[in-house]
Amino acid sequence: TRRRINSCSNAWPEQLARLGRLFQSMEDRLVFLGGKKGTLVRLKEKQRITVAAATGDLGGLLQDLTLGSDLDTCRSYEWINATALGHASRWGNLECVKALVRRGADVEACTDPRTSASYSAGQRPLHLAATNGHLVVVEYLCVYGFASVLALNNRGRTAKRCAEDAQELDCAEFLSKAELVAIEEGLEAAADFL
């Protein structure tokens, strides 16, 4: 048995070296994200901004923005193909949302309906934040991001309706008040035009 143990222990370094070479030759990096769900995700260089936004990695997000990552390209993470702002809004990462809005991210960009999970297809960042109950993100997008509270998703629902459907009553209440203000402003603008 002693001989068998030694022969097995001698084989391990060779197998590990072979395995190491295999992983080094892969184009994708495997990264463990200890974020919300602790999932193992294959990352390509283009996806780093998406994962940084989704997991709340502000430092990584700012680094990717400095390197010139595209803000408004939809990329997949956790079954949703959305922009970095959409992912940050969905997960409630306010600091990432602020950084992206300041950099000019499109607050009306929809998730890609062809490649996203059916429940999230055609959603805007405001819809994603409201559906998941992230009130501070909803407030920021409405007040500082100038997101349209009257915008519809691909199912014809406003962010308020999405919040109501998800039982996120704080978000629904805020969006209800914001909708009234938007309608009043629209009526005033129409009266001024006429």
Side-chain angles (χ1 to χ4, degrees):
T1 56
R2 189 175 191 87
R3 187 173 202 195
R4 189 179 288 165
I5 292 172
N6 285 341
S7 66
C8 289
S9 63
N10 289 338
W12 274 102
E14 182 182 320
Q15 290 173 345
L16 288 175
R18 215 177 311 149
L19 192 60
R21 286 191 298 273
L22 173 70
F23 282 121
Q24 284 178 348
S25 68
M26 295 172 64
E27 287 184 49
D28 298 344
R29 294 183 308 162
L30 291 176
V31 175
F32 178 74
L33 301 173
K36 306 265 189 275
K37 296 200 176 197
T39 56
L40 191 63
V41 177
R42 284 182 172 246
L43 289 182
K44 292 184 179 176
E45 296 300 316
K46 294 177 183 177
Q47 287 179 300
R48 286 190 313 200
I49 189 170
T50 301
V51 174
T55 59
D57 179 10
L58 185 60
L61 178 72
L62 294 174
Q63 180 182 7
D64 287 337
L65 290 173
T66 304
L67 294 173
S69 292
D70 184 17
L71 290 174
D72 296 325
T73 299
C74 286
R75 296 193 179 95
S76 184
Y77 177 77
E78 292 285 321
W79 304 285
I80 293 181
N81 202 10
T83 63
L85 181 59
H87 288 293
S89 299
R90 176 182 182 225
W91 292 104
N93 298 319
L94 181 61
E95 294 305 315
C96 293
V97 169
K98 288 179 180 180
L100 290 163
V101 168
R102 287 184 198 130
R103 294 282 179 122
D106 184 4
V107 297
E108 299 299 334
C110 292
T111 56
D112 190 342
R114 296 166 294 158
T115 55
S116 294
S118 62
Y119 65 87
S120 65
Q123 303 279 32
R124 300 171 193 271
L126 184 60
H127 290 81
L128 291 167
T131 301
N132 291 289
H134 303 299
L135 181 60
V136 291
V137 174
V138 168
E139 292 171 343
Y140 187 85
L141 289 172
C142 291
V143 175
Y144 297 104
F146 304 107
S148 173
V149 294
L150 300 175
L152 303 176
N153 65 8
N154 69 332
R155 294 182 180 170
R157 294 185 172 129
T158 63
K160 179 188 93 169
R161 175 71 190 275
C162 290
E164 289 171 346
D165 291 347
Q167 304 282 320
E168 298 296 345
L169 302 179
D170 291 339
C171 290
E173 183 180 345
F174 173 81
L175 289 166
S176 180
K177 293 174 185 175
E179 281 183 1
L180 290 174
V181 170
I183 291 169
E184 288 174 6
E185 288 176 354
L187 291 174
E188 289 174 10
D192 291 342
F193 181 75
L194 296 174

